Amino acid sequence: MTVRRDFKEPARCRPDLVIGRDELFTAARDQLTRGGSVLLHGPAGIGKSTVLRALAADYGESARTVLRCSATESESHLPFLALADLFGLVLDEISDKLPVAQRTALESALTGRGESTLQRDGLALRLAVLSALRALAAAGPVLLVADDLQWLDSASAELLGFAARRLGDTPVQLLCAVRTEEQEYDRHLRASPPDTLAVRLNPLSRAQVSALLDHRGYTDLPRSTMREIHRTSGGNPLFALELGRALGESPTPPRPGEPLPVPTSLRALVLSRLDMLSGEARRTLLVASAGARPTLALLHAAGREDAEAETAQAAALGLLATEPEGPAVRFAHPLISAALYAEAPAQERRAAHAALSTAASDPIERARNLALATTGTDPEVAARLAEAAALARDRGAPSVAASLGLLAARHTPPDGAPAPDDRRLQAAEDAITAGEVDLARDIAREVLTRATVPAERIRAWEVVIEAAGQSLGEVDAVFPQALADAGDDPRLLALVHYRLAWRKLIVEGDFAEAREEAAHTADLAARGDDRRTELMALSFQASTETLMGHPNAPTTIKRALREPQDPYVACHHNGVGAARFRWLLMSDQLPEARSTITALLREVRRRGMVESEVHFQRFLAETELRSGHCGRALDLARESLRLARDSGIGLGASAMLASLAEASGGDVDRALALAREAAGKAEEDGDQMYVSRALAALGHAQLVAGDAAGAVGSLRRVRELEQGLGITDPARGRWQGDLAEALVRVGEPGEAQDVIDVTREHALRLGRESVLAVLDRAEAMVRAARGDHEAALSRLTSVQDRLAKLGYGLEEARAAFVLAVLRTGRPGPTSYDEAARLFRRCRALPWLRQVDAAVAAAAPGAVAVPQQTAPPSDALEGLASMERQVAALVMEGATNREIAARLFISVKTVEATLTRVYRKLGIRSRVDIVRLAAGRHAK
């Protein structure tokens, strides 16, 4: 279906009538045919709208749904007008396909009615727009046509950019036009889909200008005049047409060599046409230029009784575009409206805004017009603007809220309550939420130039620090100043020290210092009777203590759980609920951890807290993975990653967890890619905490993929990083068992045993039973590699039982698999069936493939690996331990693959070891080893 806006494509917009744009039209048309998007850009009047309409008319028939919007400067301040253009007519079609929270958010934005659940971040609305486009695309291709992007209201522009960057392979294409100078289009290109082709419209040549004027009926102009039109217009089609129109209507054409009898600027030309209007018609158009969405009904409500006749007069002069399908009053070009408004006397502009302040139906529009109609300070106007800012904030339009807040501050008397700077700081906080960090920083620093009240200064410093994002190191100079401003006020000091605690963790990567700073913050907040900051600090302290294996973690969690509680902190992803979940998970209390995180996830979804939902969904996926529910974990991890990509929150952490889930229950190649993505993101952000987690996921994926050497490289770096961070609890990343196993596989059992011994000491101190069981499994592999198979088999049987009782299904299956490998070729039954059963129960597909490979190697016809016997000591004299083990198995007839499986090393390691054996024994092949063994046994 095609959703039309309120205009029809005029006949002159057919592709064959787009003068002088053949090549770029073809390039843009080919890009759309390939499934890509197009961004047309260039200066005002260059013909972007004409080309855009022609492309839409030519290509639009290929799409099932065509969504259109076109903005003007006067409506750019009012949120969601473009969104209403795009989705107003399709809301009924898609609303039942959206989650309840997203549907509510979208309906609230489009209608301005209903209770908003967006609070301050607007993520629910962002996700609703993305979901709406996906829902439409599910029924067929979607083409979104947007003209004059530069005038799009900031709320709609943000939402469309958010969706465009995340559409991926969804069949949604964008065809947009934006007014730019030089290379300004880069900003709009970054908000477009990755496959967008930017097409700049350049000035027309003289021949093309002549063809354009001929097409429009100006055929009697001399060549010299045509040349002058091209020079004066600079090849701009709109300017050229306006000059041609003026010349065509002039009773005395210029003589050759004389300048054109018109001003050389479009503004002056527009004003000359405005002079043809009656005074009343001009005042009506001024009201229309001041309005956000001028309609005849609005003009009537604003006191323009003859609006129909006056707008018809303007349309006849080419000042207004005809709107046969709707009531909108739209100027033929935004420059006309801008010129009209700029030239009007200030008193007339204020009168127009005063009329609109009562005529407009939207409270935000009424408040804005009231502000523009008022000079000086006025507490009532300021209060109205503050209320409008709060409404915009609740609608999920923080950018609009920030601009209204600044207007409110401007109209607030110096002795008003709230004070002007209070409202400026609120505007700065709204700007932070909207991602306009430069604006927020500028507002805060302006307030700091005159603020003397400590609380106000601390609030401004918080904005400056928040604006730095992850780059806290760039605002190091702020902290001493903020501490000085806080003085000895414990409440203010707590706010600063809470930020310092995060700096210790993110910038310095020092868990111990971060913990001390958080504990200090909690004490200060308690003294200052700031319960929310106290609870956030205690939660931060508890999480840090849990991750670093500090014995005080349970006590700190209990402190953070005491009453009174704060609902915001209770379910925040950095709050006490999350801290308690981490402690439960690391303490092997899987059922309670699952119930805790499930309840938290349910609550944040009810509240519409999308940021916390991203984190909690990932936490639940991790819990299911630990429990051996690999299929469920994979589904949750993939959904968490999609939500993270859509929202731009927690992407690195979600990619890390998704890698672990893919390596256990999905696709190993995807696991490797996700782990590398997570590591790169953490390195880019300077996030010391997640660099090690991402590398641990990479090492695990490499181990599952059979790249033991790669796993060793990744996990050795994890060990170094966590030692530097002061992390001693092995339950945080659980990578130590993987490192020990990988070391055995590359022929380094000694280093593997060292890893096991060091980790076991910490696990015993903290009571990490599952970690101890995994370490025992790795130690069994070390013993097997050293030839002590009986001890290895005995230990593995115990390990499998312990892991089963703790509820670690995947680790239990891995123990059964190692046990089966060690029993291969020995008297008695193997346990591959048991390992396969356990892996199937977990839906651990990559591990099942490893079982299949091991079974194939042990199938009838394959060379069996008999129980190892001690090789003749004199024959293998001078060989290292691993070399002796490999040579002994060759003497027994084992293949390289069987040796690799038996000793838990890679085939490449077997081959390299054999090369060293050949060199040391002075032989050339494995056949010589067998002959050597036969010769020694014959003696």
Side-chain angles (χ1 to χ4, degrees):
M1 82 185 220
T2 297
V3 178
R4 295 174 298 180
R5 223 192 73 82
D6 50 353
F7 62 88
K8 284 184 177 178
E9 307 299 345
R12 64 177 179 272
C13 285
R14 295 200 314 270
D16 58 320
L17 298 181
V18 179
I19 305 297
R21 306 299 189 191
D22 297 344
E23 292 184 4
L24 68 85
F25 185 91
T26 300
R29 181 64 171 78
D30 290 344
Q31 170 74 357
L32 292 170
T33 302
R34 289 190 296 267
S37 296
V38 173
L39 175 68
L40 305 170
H41 65 97
I46 203 67
K48 302 179 298 298
S49 297
T50 301
V51 175
L52 178 124
R53 291 181 180 182
L55 284 167
D58 185 52
Y59 181 74
E61 295 179 0
S62 301
R64 176 187 180 272
T65 303
V66 179
L67 306 176
R68 301 180 187 274
C69 69
S70 182
T72 62
E73 184 177 14
S74 62
E75 66 189 26
S76 61
H77 67 279
L78 194 60
F80 308 126
L81 291 183
L83 196 68
D85 274 353
L86 293 170
F87 293 106
L89 296 181
V90 296
L91 184 60
D92 291 341
E93 177 186 347
I94 60 176
S95 60
D96 62 344
K97 299 182 176 74
L98 304 181
V100 175
Q102 294 182 19
R103 179 169 66 248
T104 301
L106 186 58
E107 290 175 348
S108 176
L110 296 184
T111 65
R113 299 189 297 272
E115 180 180 356
S116 173
T117 61
L118 301 178
Q119 301 301 324
R120 291 180 55 80
D121 59 15
L123 283 172
L125 181 54
R126 294 179 179 92
L127 296 175
V129 173
L130 184 57
S131 298
L133 288 172
R134 285 173 174 159
L136 289 169
V142 176
L143 178 66
L144 191 154
V145 182
D147 198 5
D148 284 322
L149 285 183
Q150 75 278 2
W151 299 134
L152 241 62
D153 61 276
S154 58
S156 295
E158 179 187 5
L159 292 167
L160 293 177
F162 176 90
R165 293 188 297 272
R166 292 163 173 83
L167 286 169
D169 295 331
T170 306
V172 176
Q173 297 171 262
L174 272 65
L175 173 58
C176 305
V178 60
R179 180 190 301 181
T180 59
E181 298 291 343
E182 302 301 332
Q183 298 300 312
E184 293 175 356
Y185 75 94
D186 283 349
R187 175 169 59 90
H188 299 281
L189 190 61
R190 288 193 295 271
S192 302
D195 60 350
T196 299
L197 173 67
V199 178
R200 178 171 179 81
L201 276 70
N202 293 314
L204 298 179
S205 67
R206 187 192 308 171
Q208 290 167 344
V209 168
S210 177
L212 175 65
L213 292 172
D214 284 345
H215 174 68
R216 296 298 179 89
Y218 306 116
T219 57
D220 297 329
L221 297 174
R223 172 179 281 185
S224 60
T225 302
M226 190 69 69
R227 183 173 59 248
E228 193 64 16
I229 289 176
H230 181 259
R231 185 189 66 79
T232 303
S233 69
N236 184 294
L238 176 64
F239 294 2
L241 285 171
E242 294 301 324
L243 288 168
R245 185 196 300 272
L247 285 170
E249 295 171 353
S250 173
T252 55
R255 291 190 295 268
E258 288 186 350
L260 296 177
V262 292
T264 58
S265 69
L266 177 63
R267 177 174 170 179
L269 176 60
V270 169
L271 293 177
S272 70
R273 290 167 58 199
L274 289 172
D275 288 340
M276 302 181 191
L277 290 172
S278 66
E280 291 301 312
R282 185 164 179 156
R283 278 187 283 274
T284 295
L285 260 63
L286 177 60
V287 174
S289 70
R293 179 58 62 87
T295 63
L296 289 173
L298 178 65
L299 294 176
H300 282 301
R304 309 310 303 167
E305 297 179 355
D306 295 327
E308 286 89 347
E310 291 158 356
T311 54
Q313 181 187 359
L317 291 172
L319 294 169
L320 295 179
T322 57
E323 304 284 352
E325 293 185 7
V329 175
R330 188 172 297 279
F331 286 88
H333 193 280
L335 287 177
I336 299 173
S337 173
L340 171 65
Y341 185 87
E343 285 299 310
Q347 184 176 356
E348 290 187 14
R349 291 201 299 266
R350 288 195 295 272
H353 286 298
L356 289 169
S357 70
T358 58
S361 59
D362 188 276
I364 293 177
E365 173 67 357
R366 289 197 301 270
R368 171 185 170 275
N369 278 290
L370 179 61
L372 296 175
T374 306
T375 58
T377 59
D378 186 320
E380 181 180 349
V381 172
R384 288 270 300 277
L385 285 164
E387 291 173 0
L391 178 59
R393 193 177 307 122
D394 289 341
R395 287 185 183 180
S399 180
V400 175
S403 63
L404 291 169
L406 289 174
L407 281 174
R410 186 183 307 165
H411 288 283
T412 302
D415 58 349
D421 280 345
D422 283 339
R423 285 178 165 150
R424 288 189 181 91
L425 288 174
Q426 178 63 66
E429 291 162 358
D430 287 329
I432 285 283
T433 304
E436 300 175 10
V437 293
D438 291 339
L439 173 62
R441 186 186 302 110
D442 291 344
I443 295 171
R445 290 200 178 277
E446 178 194 350
V447 170
L448 285 165
T449 61
R450 55 177 174 269
T452 57
V453 178
E456 197 171 78
R457 291 185 64 80
I458 294 300
R459 188 179 177 188
W461 285 128
E462 282 202 287
V463 171
V464 173
I465 295 169
E466 186 72 22
Q470 292 286 341
S471 305
L472 288 178
E474 296 179 2
V475 292
D476 277 348
V478 165
F479 291 102
Q481 299 177 67
L483 288 170
D485 285 334
D488 57 0
D489 186 328
R491 188 183 186 94
L492 300 180
L493 284 169
L495 295 172
V496 180
H497 280 278
Y498 181 71
R499 302 281 181 177
L500 280 169
W502 279 104
R503 186 196 174 282
K504 292 287 185 183
L505 192 62
I506 293 175
V507 178
E508 299 180 15
D510 193 324
F511 274 68
E513 288 292 332
R515 172 191 173 271
E516 292 296 330
E517 198 68 68
H520 182 48
T521 300
D523 292 341
L524 288 169
R527 285 164 47 198
D529 197 27
D530 182 355
R531 184 59 173 164
R532 173 171 289 189
T533 302
E534 180 187 9
L535 289 172
M536 290 297 290
L538 286 171
S539 301
F540 181 91
Q541 179 185 345
S543 294
T544 306
E545 289 173 345
T546 299
L547 293 173
M548 64 190 297
H550 197 283
N552 287 0
T555 302
T556 306
I557 291 174
K558 288 180 182 178
R559 287 181 60 196
L561 287 170
R562 291 175 188 162
E563 296 294 337
Q565 284 294 308
D566 184 300
Y568 172 83
V569 178
C571 62
H572 191 274
H573 57 277
N574 287 323
V576 62
R580 181 171 179 272
F581 160 77
R582 290 189 186 95
W583 184 82
L584 290 168
L585 188 66
M586 294 174 68
S587 300
D588 296 327
Q589 300 182 51
L590 295 181
E592 193 169 354
R594 181 185 293 105
S595 62
T596 298
I597 197 61
T598 300
L600 286 170
L601 183 58
R602 185 185 308 115
E603 179 63 15
V604 300
R605 282 173 171 166
R606 186 186 69 81
R607 291 169 173 260
M609 298 170 65
V610 178
E611 183 173 4
S612 293
E613 181 182 353
V614 172
H615 294 288
F616 289 161
Q617 189 158 296
R618 186 179 75 252
F619 293 165
L620 180 57
E622 184 175 3
T623 306
E624 298 294 355
L625 191 59
R626 296 277 177 86
S627 303
H629 304 151
C630 298
R632 170 69 171 152
L634 184 60
D635 291 342
L636 286 167
R638 286 174 174 173
E639 180 60 30
S640 174
L641 180 59
R642 176 172 176 173
L643 191 58
R645 293 194 194 283
D646 288 348
S647 64
I649 293 172
L651 179 56
S654 294
M656 177 274 298
L657 198 282
S659 172
L660 291 172
E662 292 284 354
S664 299
D667 181 86
V668 179
D669 288 337
R670 179 165 171 77
L672 290 166
L674 286 168
R676 292 189 176 100
E677 177 187 348
K681 186 72 170 64
E683 294 275 12
E684 178 185 335
D685 291 342
D687 190 335
Q688 297 297 315
M689 289 192 300
Y690 268 99
V691 169
S692 64
R693 293 295 304 274
L695 287 173
L698 177 59
H700 179 75
Q702 289 168 324
L703 182 65
V704 177
D707 181 10
V712 168
S714 298
L715 296 175
R716 277 175 175 164
R717 189 178 172 205
V718 174
R719 179 176 57 187
E720 294 170 2
L721 287 170
E722 295 204 351
Q723 286 174 350
L725 292 170
I727 299 173
T728 60
D729 192 336
R732 183 211 181 217
R734 297 176 180 267
W735 50 266
Q736 295 84 355
D738 284 345
L739 175 56
E741 179 175 339
L743 286 166
V744 171
R745 291 183 181 276
V746 298
E748 297 290 347
E751 184 182 347
Q753 188 63 54
D754 290 342
V755 171
I756 292 167
D757 292 341
V758 171
T759 307
R760 181 178 283 132
E761 181 181 349
H762 293 300
L764 285 169
R765 173 175 59 86
L766 297 167
R768 303 303 192 220
E769 292 298 327
S770 63
V771 174
L772 289 168
V774 169
L775 292 174
D776 285 348
R777 184 185 69 205
E779 189 168 47
M781 297 173 67
V782 172
R783 294 191 178 190
R786 288 174 169 173
D788 192 357
H789 281 66
E790 296 304 327
L793 291 170
S794 175
R795 176 156 297 198
L796 281 170
T797 302
S798 169
V799 166
Q800 185 177 343
D801 292 341
R802 288 155 57 196
L803 289 169
K805 290 178 181 178
L806 290 169
Y808 284 79
L810 182 58
E811 299 294 353
E812 175 195 357
R814 288 179 64 179
F817 183 35
V818 175
L819 188 61
V821 171
L822 290 183
R823 284 177 173 167
T824 300
R826 298 175 61 84
T830 67
S831 53
Y832 282 122
D833 289 345
E834 173 68 2
R837 182 186 68 81
L838 293 174
F839 282 134
R840 277 195 296 270
R841 185 182 68 181
C842 295
R843 285 181 58 190
L845 301 182
W847 289 103
L848 272 171
R849 286 190 283 272
Q850 291 196 29
V851 172
D852 291 341
V855 170
V863 178
V865 183
Q867 182 174 357
Q868 181 174 342
T869 58
S873 59
D874 54 347
L876 304 183
E877 185 178 357
L879 298 183
S881 174
M882 178 57 68
E883 295 166 352
R884 291 170 63 86
Q885 293 291 315
V886 170
L889 288 171
V890 170
M891 290 177 177
E892 295 166 3
T895 65
N896 286 2
R897 182 177 296 278
E898 290 164 348
I899 294 171
R902 183 72 174 274
L903 298 181
F904 299 99
I905 61 178
S906 68
V907 173
K908 289 184 178 180
T909 301
V910 173
E911 294 170 350
T913 303
L914 280 174
T915 300
R916 294 195 299 271
V917 169
Y918 300 156
R919 184 175 62 252
K920 289 182 178 181
L921 296 182
I923 58 180
R924 296 183 178 181
S925 69
R926 61 189 296 121
V927 175
D928 292 332
I929 296 180
V930 176
R931 288 173 179 167
L932 179 62
R936 299 305 302 175
H937 286 308
K939 291 183 179 180

